Amino acid sequence: QVQLVESGGGLVQAGGSLRLSCVASGGSFSNYMMGWFRQAPGKEREFVTRISGSGGWIYYVDSVRGRFTISRDNAKNTVYLQMISLQPDDTAVYYCAAAPGWGRPYNYWGQGTQVTVSS
């Protein structure tokens, strides 16, 4: 059983930056593909980015490519999401998730952290 705890959300002005963290416990962290998702008010949860267990494979959705950077520190069981040039459309609850391999379904989810971008 893997537990995921996100942190780092908050209120930021448009153009600003935030770094989200997600700490994992209860599993072999380096074996898991980690992903970030987000859910805006009134919308469905959407995929944002993912990173392989080794960190060597990364994928971003088009809307964040060039602005968001995912990374991980397997020694700290932590995955990060660095976000720059934030826009009001980025306002959402951000969730991290873990899957037992690249392309596998995510079966562990964090509780989410709120990111609010004001215009």
Side-chain angles (χ1 to χ4, degrees):
Q1 191 78 7
V2 176
Q3 293 81 44
L4 303 173
V5 179
E6 302 97 333
S7 62
L11 174 64
V12 63
Q13 289 186 332
S17 303
L18 281 174
R19 188 176 83 154
L20 307 183
S21 300
C22 172
V23 179
S25 60
S28 296
F29 182 69
S30 62
N31 291 339
Y32 285 87
M33 175 181 72
M34 299 299 296
W36 285 96
F37 292 73
R38 65 185 181 185
Q39 187 167 18
K43 296 186 178 181
E44 295 187 354
R45 186 177 299 185
E46 67 169 350
F47 165 78
V48 176
T49 179
R50 64 175 179 253
I51 186 169
S52 63
S54 67
W57 293 355
I58 291 173
Y59 181 82
Y60 298 98
V61 68
D62 286 346
S63 60
V64 307
R65 188 173 291 115
R67 300 188 300 122
F68 290 11
T69 303
I70 189 171
S71 62
R72 66 190 296 159
D73 184 339
N74 287 344
K76 295 182 178 180
N77 287 0
T78 303
V79 61
Y80 303 97
L81 183 64
Q82 177 69 51
M83 306 183 291
I84 66 171
S85 301
L86 284 162
Q87 299 302 316
D89 284 350
D90 296 316
T91 295
V93 178
Y94 283 72
Y95 300 89
C96 70
W102 186 260
R104 299 286 298 277
Y106 294 91
N107 49 5
Y108 299 107
W109 294 83
Q111 82 290 348
T113 185
Q114 176 71 47
V115 172
T116 303
V117 185
S118 63
S119 58

